[in-house]
Amino acid sequence: MSLKNSRLRLASVALIVALSGLVAAGPAMAATQPSVAAASTGAQEQAPAAPTDFVDLPTSPLPADSAPQEFTVTYRNDSSAERTVAPQLLVTSPDAGPFLTPTDVKLERRTAHGCWETVRPGAQTGTLFTDLTDAQRTLPAGETLTQVYRLTVVNPQAQGTVAPRVALYG
């Protein structure tokens, strides 16, 4: 067997193991895995694939009307070193259901220019979540992260809880 074939087999096995882990992982962990394209290029330096901790912020009920509601995720890096962080918005279903789907809500994120951009939430077992890999950023020591989301309930029967949080890496 050639060295090239061995490397391909090893890469295939690693990919299968990683994908198997995604299926078994909860929404927060699934949202942290690097994309296959980014992982296979090796050209970019990747932040750690999985958060080491989360800072949970105050939760609130899913809005009962169809008016847009803003949620702000704020985190201050009080350490003496820079830190990789990622804001995340979770929308969880009631334990007894019915489970939420991405079509139940419209989710947007405010850009640095003050415009709103649509965010397609991921979904797993009734939890909607924003992707952590796209949200990762390096926060210098003493700096504050502020990310504003705008959530509109499209399905008037939708019920749940909005849970903002910040993923911490390394």
Side-chain angles (χ1 to χ4, degrees), residues 92-100 125-126 157-160:
T92 59
S93 299
D95 289 340
F99 293 134
L100 295 166
T125 318
Q157 281 78 40
Q159 295 179 5

Side-chain angles (χ1 to χ4, degrees), residues 14-143:
L15 180 60
I16 290 169
V17 168
L19 291 174
S20 298
L22 279 176
V23 171
M29 296 310 290
T32 64
Q33 300 301 319
S35 68
V36 174
S40 65
T41 64
Q44 296 178 338
E45 183 180 323
Q46 294 291 318
T52 55
D53 200 5
F54 288 95
V55 175
D56 294 320
L57 302 173
T59 62
S60 60
L62 188 63
D65 60 13
S66 61
Q69 185 171 349
E70 291 184 12
F71 295 89
T72 302
V73 179
T74 303
Y75 173 77
R76 180 168 174 78
N77 181 3
D78 288 330
S79 74
S80 60
E82 66 181 25
R83 176 163 225 170
T84 301
V85 299
Q88 186 175 47
L89 196 67
L90 300 172
V91 183
T92 59
S93 299
D95 289 340
F99 293 134
L100 295 166
T101 65
T103 58
D104 290 332
V105 300
K106 176 182 177 186
L107 184 59
E108 300 165 290
R109 172 179 41 228
R110 184 175 293 150
T111 67
H113 303 293
C115 301
W116 292 104
E117 67 181 355
T118 300
V119 176
R120 295 176 54 144
Q124 188 171 24
T125 318
T127 299
L128 308 180
F129 55 90
T130 57
D131 184 55
L132 289 174
T133 55
D134 292 338
Q136 284 183 13
R137 60 192 78 169
T138 302
L139 190 61
E143 295 291 316

